[in-house]
Amino acid sequence: MSDLLTPEDRELLLHLLATPTVGFLEAAPDDPPPRLREAQRAYARAAESVGFRVVRHGSPPPHVLRRDDVPVTVRRAAEDPRFLAEQPSLLLRLGPALPRRATVMFNVHLDTVAGLEPVGLSGGRFTGRGAIDAKGPAVALLSGIRDAVRAEPALGRDVGVLVQAVSGEEGGAMGTFGTRPLVEAGHVGRLNIFCEPTGLRYLPRSTASMTARVHVGGHGAVDDRPDTGHNASVLLGFLAQHLAAALDPRDRPGRLCIGGVHTGHAHNRVYGSGELLINLSYATSAEGARAEKALEAAVEDGVRRFTGIFADTREFTRTAADAAAVTGVRWLKRGLPCLNNSEPWAEDLLTRAGIARWPDVEPAFTCDAIWMDGIPDCYTAVLGPGSLQDNNAHAEGEHADLDELHGFASAVSALLTGFAEQHRDGKERT
């Protein structure tokens, strides 16, 4: 079997890895702007050699982020006009604009998390931030499409291919200004593949998550009179433990993350205000709604328990008495959809392409595929080489092996040629 990744593909991947594309939500305040437009232009040039043309390369209008399902952190960041302007997305098309039933769409993101890694290729292994998540899969995707086009004349003629090379996947942006506007504009296919590390197993599900900020807004005090203030450290510390026990997801598939607790750094003062961050993932919208109500109820119960335990103490009487008045919950992110779809024709196509299914008992993860929930007349799966854990995505030593990328390219080629054959057979039966 020939190597589908040509020397030009390897050069492209090294160039992309060397081009910093850390999104604004991940970058430090003094970091330079991401060079996403530059990376996407290089990707578009490579795609043009396969036969693609650029349909769109730009950022959506600001109003796309003025929605309740957009995380608060994104809305705040977008107050800076550079946020959208310097994080565009790229839409490529192979062939004419065809009906959805004759189109395959691939989505891959070129933005990365923070923490730049040494870029290189040694011993068949690419290193660098984005090697597996998801610049490596992006290059392998083009390689697989090129191989399929050579083998199947219908591709680019009777069957169209769309590639969304987006920004705004990392940093908690949740695809709200990259993938979502493209999907809502109708740039989807009958088959839709989101390129994320899955160990070359197709995953027809994607979870979502919600983020709550439990905040205390009281009055501080000096260490000589701690009883005169509201001790947010003690109250939030108590609530962190209470919520960990009360919300442990023993009876639902989603996960619980008790995140950062912050009040202050000094040892000789009482901090009257602070926050506790909590993240809850969920596999269905109904599960998410139940988890949301459970968190709010657990906070109320935790405050009552705190009041009962600390009411007769010397230093924390005021905190106990006013706990309910100074404690609140604000949702920084909620209302996001989940993906969970099934279509026999698509699963048969994937199986015939030699692609195994992600086990139903193994938890899914969150990615931009959530925005395909409820889109009619199509099927969506997450598929890509490597794994988030084993390839150190988001961590030191992120890497992608040539064999892994070659395997993904082969899977893409088999999937496209199989789709073209299935489409042709379907037309012949009508």
Side-chain angles (χ1 to χ4, degrees):
M1 179 167 48
S2 62
D3 189 352
L4 297 185
L5 269 73
T6 65
E8 291 76 17
D9 293 329
R10 302 179 193 199
E11 182 179 344
L12 171 62
L13 179 49
L14 289 171
H15 174 70
L16 293 177
L17 292 173
T19 305
T21 56
V22 178
F24 277 114
L25 295 175
E26 287 275 344
D30 57 347
D31 284 349
R35 290 159 57 186
L36 275 159
R37 193 177 299 274
E38 176 185 337
Q40 289 162 347
R41 283 174 176 161
Y43 192 73
R45 287 193 297 269
E48 286 169 357
S49 69
V50 180
F52 282 93
R53 61 183 177 86
V54 176
V55 177
R56 172 178 171 178
H57 189 198
S59 304
H63 71 77
V64 303
L65 297 182
R66 299 180 191 137
R67 291 173 34 163
D68 290 341
D69 59 357
V70 175
V72 171
T73 53
V74 179
R75 278 181 269 167
R76 287 176 178 168
E79 293 173 1
D80 184 339
R82 296 179 306 162
F83 182 83
L84 283 176
E86 296 184 11
Q87 296 185 105
S89 291
L90 173 69
L91 178 66
L92 302 166
R93 185 191 301 279
L94 177 68
L98 294 171
R100 182 174 300 177
R101 67 179 182 276
T103 302
V104 179
M105 186 274 279
F106 294 93
N107 173 290
V108 67
H109 66 92
L110 295 182
D111 63 318
T112 70
V113 298
L116 296 180
E117 291 285 302
V119 174
L121 170 60
S122 178
R125 171 167 290 186
F126 287 95
T127 56
R129 181 59 73 222
I132 200 67
D133 188 25
K135 294 177 179 180
V139 172
L141 170 63
L142 288 185
S143 175
I145 296 172
R146 181 179 60 233
D147 186 66
V149 168
R150 289 171 178 167
E152 176 53 77
L155 291 169
R157 186 190 65 197
D158 305 320
V159 172
V161 181
L162 291 172
V163 172
Q164 301 178 0
V166 302
S167 61
E169 199 275 344
E170 301 287 11
M174 306 297 293
T176 49
F177 60 88
T179 295
R180 191 192 71 190
L182 293 175
V183 169
E184 292 183 348
H187 300 300
V188 300
R190 187 177 187 225
L191 176 66
N192 304 273
I193 300 296
F194 282 70
C195 305
E196 295 283 343
T198 65
L200 283 184
R201 301 171 297 172
Y202 74 90
L203 171 61
R205 298 174 283 123
S206 183
T207 60
S209 63
M210 63 185 79
T211 303
R213 175 179 176 262
V214 181
H215 58 91
V216 172
H219 298 283
V222 297
D223 62 333
D224 292 319
R225 291 294 310 276
D227 59 305
T228 63
H230 298 109
N231 197 311
S233 300
V234 176
L235 177 51
L236 288 171
F238 179 91
L239 289 176
Q241 294 188 61
H242 174 78
L243 296 175
L247 299 176
D248 182 60
R250 294 176 291 270
D251 56 352
R252 67 182 188 88
R255 306 304 293 263
L256 165 71
C257 177
I258 302 294
V261 183
H262 181 72
T263 56
H265 298 288
H267 69 283
N268 59 350
R269 60 169 293 187
V270 169
Y271 291 96
S273 61
E275 67 177 17
L276 162 65
L277 297 175
I278 300 167
N279 210 53
L280 296 162
S281 68
Y282 50 95
T284 67
S285 297
E287 180 194 352
R290 291 192 297 270
E292 181 180 332
K293 292 180 180 178
L295 182 139
E296 292 174 342
V299 171
E300 292 182 5
D301 182 57
V303 169
R304 285 193 297 269
R305 288 173 178 264
F306 178 89
T307 298
I309 292 172
F310 288 92
D312 297 327
T313 60
R314 174 183 175 184
E315 310 291 20
F316 310 108
T317 302
R318 186 184 181 192
T319 307
D322 298 340
V326 299
T327 304
V329 177
R330 184 183 183 192
W331 290 98
L332 304 182
K333 178 176 64 183
R334 63 173 168 175
L336 295 173
C338 300
L339 175 72
N340 191 343
N341 64 166
S342 176
E343 288 287 349
W345 68 264
E347 296 181 3
D348 178 64
L349 173 63
L350 286 153
T351 300
R352 286 189 291 108
I355 303 169
R357 181 187 175 96
W358 183 286
D360 290 339
V361 296
E362 189 172 333
F365 55 85
T366 302
C367 70
D368 284 6
I370 59 174
W371 298 111
M372 294 301 299
D373 177 58
I375 304 297
D377 305 320
C378 67
Y379 174 86
T380 300
V382 186
L383 175 68
S387 78
L388 294 170
Q389 179 177 344
D390 295 343
N391 291 76
N392 295 334
H394 297 201
E396 293 182 7
E398 182 176 352
H399 64 272
D401 291 335
L402 266 171
D403 288 346
E404 294 173 319
L405 300 180
H406 181 276
F408 181 54
S410 296
V412 168
S413 180
L415 200 52
L416 281 173
T417 54
F419 183 90
E421 179 182 353
Q422 188 182 76
H423 178 71
R424 182 164 51 244
D425 290 346
K427 288 176 64 176
E428 290 172 353
R429 288 194 297 268
T430 60

